[in-house]
Amino acid sequence: VPDDFDPAKQYNLLIDMHGASGTHEQAEDWWHSYSKWDSTYFDNTIAIAVMGRGRWSGYEGLGEDDVLQAMDWTMDHYPIDPDRVFISGGSMGGGGSWRIASRYPDRFASAWPECGWPEWNVVANTLNLPVYLNHGNADWMVAKTYTAMGAAYMSEMGNPVFYTEWDGVGHGVGSQAREGGWVSRLAAHTRVTDP
């Protein structure tokens, strides 16, 4: 929650999802470092991190339910603009954020998966959802091929996809990808309620 939180103001909501070896508790340290790169993030965004019912849930089943329940609870208790909800994550969180955004494109304005992978049978649902994909070409954990193929598939369908492949970067692509106003890029979009 921003330091100068004003209950009369509407805020963006960012859902940030951890990787398989991490937890939601690590997100606070990341947010403090990311916030200095983007005033939209620091001043106008409420961010939540979810555990996803475990470190290895893949944000499927109960893990997916955890994300949606945390999102709904936050929107019920804070002044969130429902047209400015964004989802992001890295590694397992990258795959999970891409998957959940593809399953529920009517709930998000844009998505930011890092070093993740698509769920092929639903990725076409992002026809009206801007997706910012980031992957390091030296990733030893999740092959960049997953993201590159997903980006090519979305591009062929005419979906709004922005793919950046980071040269020489391994699995930890977040620091490079999020510099230069990453939430400002997400916040340039508003939700399409009937995608």
Side-chain angles (χ1 to χ4, degrees), residues 83-153:
D83 293 328
R84 304 187 80 74
V85 178
F86 319 114
I87 190 166
S88 68
S91 192
M92 182 182 81
S97 61
W98 197 350
R99 183 179 157 283
I100 289 173
S102 298
R103 286 180 169 264
Y104 305 97
D106 59 321
R107 300 197 69 181
F108 300 100
S110 53
W112 186 280
E114 296 170 355
C115 53
W117 54 90
E119 183 176 349
W120 294 104
N121 61 331
V122 293
V123 74
N125 290 343
T126 61
L127 180 61
N128 293 297
L129 180 74
V131 179
Y132 291 81
L133 300 169
N134 292 275
H135 214 120
N137 66 9
D139 193 333
W140 62 91
M141 186 83 61
V142 177
K144 70 170 183 159
T145 308
Y146 290 116
T147 300
M149 289 175 61
Y153 180 55

Side-chain angles (χ1 to χ4, degrees), residues 48-101:
I48 61 172
V50 291
M51 184 60 180
R53 305 286 170 96
R55 289 185 172 196
W56 304 96
S57 72
Y59 298 103
E60 297 179 356
L62 291 176
E64 177 182 302
D65 190 53
D66 194 33
V67 173
L68 298 175
Q69 284 190 32
M71 178 180 164
D72 290 341
W73 186 93
T74 306
M75 293 179 76
D76 287 344
H77 290 84
Y78 287 90
I80 302 296
D81 182 346
D83 293 328
R84 304 187 80 74
V85 178
F86 319 114
I87 190 166
S88 68
S91 192
M92 182 182 81
S97 61
W98 197 350
R99 183 179 157 283
I100 289 173

Side-chain angles (χ1 to χ4, degrees), residues 8-52:
K9 175 181 172 181
Q10 279 200 314
Y11 289 87
N12 305 322
L13 175 61
L14 172 69
I15 300 151
D16 208 2
M17 299 159 62
H18 67 82
S21 63
T23 72
H24 61 298
E25 295 172 334
Q26 295 170 329
E28 186 174 0
D29 291 335
W30 299 335
W31 290 337
H32 287 297
S33 64
Y34 296 153
S35 67
K36 67 185 177 194
W37 297 332
D38 194 340
S39 62
T40 299
Y41 182 44
F42 189 74
D43 299 329
N44 300 312
T45 303
I46 292 175
I48 61 172
V50 291
M51 184 60 180

